[in-house]
Amino acid sequence: MNAVPSNSRRQFLKTGALIGSGLVVGFVLPAASRFAQADPATAAAAAAQPFAPNAFLRVGSDDSVTVLLSHSEMGQGIWTGLAMLIAEELDADWATIKVEHAPAAQAYAHTAFGMQMTGGSTSTWSEFDRYRQAGATARALLVAAAAQRFGVPVDQVRTENGVAIAGDKRARYGELALDAAKLPPPKAPLPLKDAKDWKIIGKSTKRLDGPEKITGKAKFGMDVQFDGLLTAVVARSPVFGGSVKSFDASKAKAIAGVRDVVQVPSGVAVIADHYWAAKQGRDALVVDWDLGPNAGLDTVKLREQFRALAATPGAVAGQAGDVKGALAKAAKTLEAEYNVPYLAHSPMEPLNCTVKIDADGCDVWTGTQFQTVDQKVAAQITGLKPEQVRIHTMFLGGGFGRRATPTSDFVTEAVHVAKAAGKPVKTVWSREDDVRGGYYRPMYLQRARIGLDAQGLPVAWEHVLVGQSITAGTPFEPMMVKNGIDATSVEGVADSPYIAGLKDFRVDLHSPRTGIPVLWWRSVGHSYNAFVMESLVDELAYAAGKDPVEYRRALLKDHPRHLAALDLVADKSRWGSKLEAGRGRGVAVHESFGSYIAQVAEVSLVDQPGGGKGIRVHKFFCAIDCGIAVNPDGVHAQMESGINFGLGAALHSALSFKDGRVQESNYHDYRVLRLDEAPQIEVHIVPSTEKMGGAGEPGTAPVAAAVANAVYALTQQRLRELPLRLPA
């Protein structure tokens, strides 16, 4: 799914405004009745339908129920999951359900963040009440219309599978739609079904978007096409922070199909009849760049700078007692350094955005996670009012956070290009463009000194993290960085159950600014902190001479949801049973985004084509407690997705800089997991009625640790750097 930090929820809720792209967006947190309020444009569109009781659904005279999705579908399954919430309370016939992406409008603002957005594994829990209320409201009006038609009291009408029933009288929802549309809406909030009465929620349900995606009918941003639409590619500085000194477009304009070459704030755009002509034109373009202050960026040198910082005091993210004194008295001390690289998001569908500006306003077609911010930046660039900017959200071919930038970078650029061209233009990024010129998961170096008592349990923990803040230097900084601490940098460490319960601990953070743009990446800070913490705990278990699962059980004895996931995965993986020769087994357990996940990896070593040994993951077991699982099948799919995504980063992916330039470019040298490397995966859901968490992101967080711990169990070699590499 898509990524926005879990700890950000509290920061957003404490503030009265969200800042994006230099704009302050005022908001009021939606109340339970907010679903009934829509802006005039949305209300007018709804009025044209037979029965649109609120901004989230329409009932047609043909019995169809159309659900309007306030969030973006980027593979995480909410096209189905959110529709299930409405269908449950509406007592709809599931076969009649259709789904559309909603327009950009305040009616669809996130119930916690106050803006229309998708991220942070929040889509389902944030809409759990609002979408059920929307369905309950529609049902109440349909029941009232049926009661009038049947001439019976409302309480004598029941509903079932899209039909209102009273005795021997029956009426389909489509037959009642026009009458229901004339009735005043009921007062909200309405009573909702008890969980014991659910017929749809909690039942594994096939994805509604599956058939369209299998047949190729689904429309992604890259599929947008209409008469008169041109295509642009942009030449951007090869070094971040660089700018155009001058350019010669003569050779580019000589390419057949090239229509124009224009300078925009991000570089020089070549506009053509189609992509190939635009790309050839850009290849022929001659640009003299001012490379700016970052021309010497080098990740090897950065790593040494980070290492030097780690030896100095940083901003304190958490502390208690006298950690230095406790370490001096410890029976045994463990010290370790861990490193993780910069990572690209690299979604399967490269970035793209189509923009049409005319007298009526501005239309934007794209796969986006940030509709509100995109709408406002487009309005600012064009001089239009935000409501004159129409965002058409397409299916997203992956996001992982890349389509949720505080600057709306790819949308901003596309609007500038279309404005300069004076014609509709689709601006397309190649994969090389995004890998070499996008936003990245930050590089981190971490050091820990941990003191153990005579029983091998931790009594003191000193931990320092060095890496870029995602929000520093952005408009989000004032609300999300407190006392020098970006919560996304330290999540999963400063609040770890392994640390927070100790009498003596200290967690420090250094947030150097490097000139490299960084952004949330699937599971955000947990993506590297879970690797470090769960690897460290594994080191402690072996130092104490304890079984890694039993050791964790001892440390997590007061954390029942961690334990439930750990116990389930240990059982399903047959932890402790004998493995076939040449295989090792490793475990990790971690909470993020409100969900508790335990994983076990089973690995072996294989010969590499160029010599040496590589890591092969054969089996992967996962247990998750995410509270109520609306669509268990969707939860299974997201765990499988997150695991494979995490395995790519654990085994292959890394970005490096030299002379200011990114050295990798595409999937051949920025490796992700390939089909023949995917392991057999088993996912098990902990039965739970606890508060709902997320599913799109948390499955990724513990993956690398489970694999690294399995490698240690097999080889007794502790790998403390990603991607995992065995010594030659």
Side-chain angles (χ1 to χ4, degrees):
M1 168 183 164
N2 53 58
V4 171
S6 56
N7 290 338
S8 305
R9 301 172 193 160
R10 292 191 293 274
Q11 299 296 336
F12 277 113
L13 291 169
K14 289 178 181 177
T15 65
L18 177 74
I19 303 177
S21 304
L23 302 172
V24 178
V25 184
F27 71 92
V28 178
L29 293 180
S33 61
R34 184 64 171 274
F35 66 87
Q37 303 168 2
D39 65 8
T42 304
Q49 303 300 325
F51 178 42
N54 49 63
F56 299 95
L57 73 117
R58 304 189 301 262
V59 179
S61 57
D62 61 352
D63 291 333
S64 64
V65 177
T66 302
V67 175
L68 281 83
L69 210 65
S70 55
H71 302 267
S72 305
E73 173 59 68
M74 49 188 172
Q76 79 276 40
I78 58 170
W79 198 263
T80 304
L82 295 189
M84 291 172 68
L85 302 179
I86 281 179
E88 180 67 72
E89 291 296 332
L90 182 57
D91 279 341
D93 178 356
W94 185 250
T96 68
I97 297 292
K98 302 177 180 179
V99 184
E100 297 176 2
H101 278 120
Q106 187 60 27
Y108 305 106
H110 196 294
T111 57
F113 298 158
M115 60 177 283
Q116 193 173 350
M117 60 153 288
T118 305
S121 277
T122 64
S123 293
T124 302
W125 69 252
S126 70
E127 299 294 0
F128 190 64
D129 290 334
R130 182 162 70 166
Y131 266 57
R132 288 189 299 150
Q133 278 289 334
T137 297
R139 178 186 174 277
L141 289 168
L142 289 163
V143 165
Q148 288 184 356
R149 177 173 296 197
F150 299 157
V152 300
V154 168
D155 60 6
Q156 291 186 17
V157 180
R158 64 184 178 88
T159 55
E160 181 180 309
N161 210 35
V163 178
I165 305 167
D168 60 354
K169 298 181 175 67
R170 301 168 63 89
R172 300 190 316 276
Y173 284 175
E175 296 176 285
L176 298 168
L178 290 176
D179 291 338
K182 300 172 184 177
L183 299 175
K187 292 183 179 180
L190 296 172
L192 301 173
K193 290 182 181 180
D194 290 331
K196 63 181 176 57
D197 297 321
W198 288 342
K199 297 179 181 178
I200 297 175
I201 295 174
K203 307 296 189 296
S204 287
T205 304
K206 292 182 179 179
R207 290 180 61 138
L208 291 172
D209 54 338
E212 288 189 10
K213 290 180 175 177
I214 291 169
T215 60
K217 293 180 180 179
K219 298 298 181 184
F220 294 80
M222 200 70 85
D223 296 321
V224 174
Q225 194 64 46
F226 51 82
D227 289 344
L229 179 64
L230 301 175
T231 299
V233 296
V234 177
R236 304 174 188 88
S237 172
V239 174
F240 290 114
S243 59
V244 176
K245 292 168 65 175
S246 63
F247 68 94
D248 180 353
S250 57
K251 292 181 180 178
K253 289 182 176 180
I255 300 293
V258 171
R259 295 292 190 90
D260 202 358
V261 179
V262 296
Q263 185 170 349
V264 292
S266 58
V268 181
V270 178
I271 302 165
D273 292 331
H274 48 78
Y275 176 77
W276 187 241
K279 182 186 181 302
Q280 286 184 305
R282 185 180 65 176
D283 291 345
L285 189 66
V286 178
V287 184
D288 184 15
W289 298 100
D290 178 350
L291 297 180
N294 299 317
L297 278 174
D298 185 301
T299 40
V300 174
K301 295 176 181 177
L302 276 178
R303 177 74 56 80
E304 292 308 311
Q305 293 171 19
F306 283 15
R307 185 167 287 119
L309 276 175
T312 66
V316 179
Q319 65 176 337
D322 176 15
V323 69
K324 297 290 187 185
L327 284 168
K329 298 175 184 177
K332 184 184 290 187
T333 301
L334 182 146
E335 297 188 37
E337 176 184 296
Y338 280 80
N339 288 278
V340 300
Y342 287 104
L343 293 178
H345 301 77
S346 197
M348 186 61 68
E349 179 196 17
L351 297 173
N352 60 87
C353 181
T354 298
V355 179
K356 178 183 178 183
I357 305 169
D358 55 30
D360 295 328
C362 176
D363 288 276
V364 177
W365 291 267
T366 191
T368 176
Q369 296 176 242
F370 263 13
Q371 285 87 347
T372 297
V373 177
D374 295 341
Q375 186 180 49
K376 290 187 177 294
V377 298
Q380 186 180 49
I381 294 166
T382 58
L384 297 166
K385 296 177 181 178
E387 58 268 25
Q388 291 178 284
V389 176
R390 296 171 289 272
I391 304 291
H392 306 274
T393 303
M394 312 301 292
F395 280 122
L396 284 64
F400 317 121
R402 180 63 184 93
R403 288 176 159 96
T405 62
T407 57
S408 287
D409 65 318
F410 64 98
V411 174
T412 296
E413 179 181 73
V415 176
H416 277 298
V417 171
K419 183 180 179 182
K423 296 177 181 178
V425 181
K426 180 197 296 184
T427 300
V428 176
W429 295 51
S430 68
R431 193 171 316 284
E432 290 85 354
D433 290 338
D434 195 26
V435 169
R436 288 182 166 170
Y439 284 77
Y440 310 113
R441 201 278 305 272
M443 181 174 82
Y444 264 80
L445 180 147
Q446 300 188 33
R447 278 185 175 172
R449 293 181 65 218
I450 306 165
L452 305 180
D453 63 15
Q455 288 72 46
L457 296 176
V459 291
W461 197 304
E462 185 178 61
H463 200 116
V464 59
L465 303 90
V466 185
Q468 286 172 255
S469 162
I470 289 169
T471 59
T474 78
F476 293 98
E477 182 174 3
M479 70 183 75
M480 296 181 68
V481 179
K482 304 298 181 184
N483 300 317
I485 301 297
D486 182 341
T488 69
S489 297
V490 298
E491 58 187 1
V493 175
D495 56 355
S496 168
Y498 302 128
I499 294 179
L502 297 178
K503 292 181 180 179
D504 300 286
F505 73 88
R506 175 167 169 149
V507 177
D508 281 18
L509 173 67
H510 293 277
S511 302
R513 301 197 180 198
T514 69
I516 298 171
V518 293
L519 185 67
W520 28 72
W521 184 92
R522 195 173 190 173
S523 76
V524 200
H526 296 285
S527 70
Y528 43 86
N529 290 334
F531 165 61
V532 174
M533 292 300 297
E534 282 302 306
S535 295
L536 283 169
V537 169
D538 219 63
E539 293 200 48
L540 298 181
Y542 282 98
K546 304 288 180 63
D547 173 81
V549 167
E550 292 305 322
Y551 190 77
R552 285 172 172 81
R553 283 175 174 150
L555 296 184
L556 298 170
K557 65 183 188 315
D558 297 323
H559 299 271
R561 297 185 74 182
H562 287 83
L563 278 177
L566 179 60
D567 288 344
L568 182 57
V569 83
D571 175 61
K572 296 300 182 180
S573 66
R574 300 177 66 235
W575 184 269
S577 64
K578 186 177 180 180
L579 286 170
E580 64 181 83
R583 293 198 182 185
R585 186 190 279 136
V587 65
V589 56
H590 190 78
E591 180 275 327
S592 64
F593 302 93
S595 290
Y596 298 75
I597 293 184
Q599 297 175 340
V600 168
E602 188 176 313
V603 311
S604 71
L605 303 186
V606 294
D607 293 328
Q608 297 280 69
K613 294 290 185 179
I615 301 164
R616 171 72 187 187
V617 182
H618 297 275
K619 295 182 181 179
F620 211 96
F621 300 86
C622 176
I624 174 174
D625 175 1
C626 58
I628 297 168
V630 172
N631 183 4
D633 191 55
V635 174
H636 278 252
Q638 279 305 285
M639 291 304 101
E640 293 165 357
S641 166
I643 288 164
N644 283 319
F645 191 85
L647 284 173
L651 300 176
H652 302 304
S653 304
L655 281 178
S656 57
F657 285 79
K658 185 176 181 181
D659 297 328
R661 292 164 168 82
V662 176
Q663 298 301 293
E664 294 72 27
S665 61
N666 207 318
Y667 288 146
H668 68 288
D669 54 7
Y670 181 78
R671 284 280 308 277
V672 297
L673 198 73
R674 295 177 178 172
L675 284 174
D676 63 349
E677 298 175 299
Q680 176 185 339
I681 298 175
E682 283 189 24
V683 178
H684 302 277
I685 299 175
V686 177
S688 178
T689 57
E690 296 289 341
K691 183 179 179 182
M692 189 183 299
E697 308 202 52
T700 295
V703 169
V707 175
N709 294 340
V711 171
Y712 183 81
L714 178 64
T715 67
Q716 285 69 61
Q717 296 182 77
R718 182 61 64 180
L719 306 182
R720 298 190 179 105
E721 183 171 339
L722 295 181
L724 301 171
R725 294 284 184 270
L726 288 160

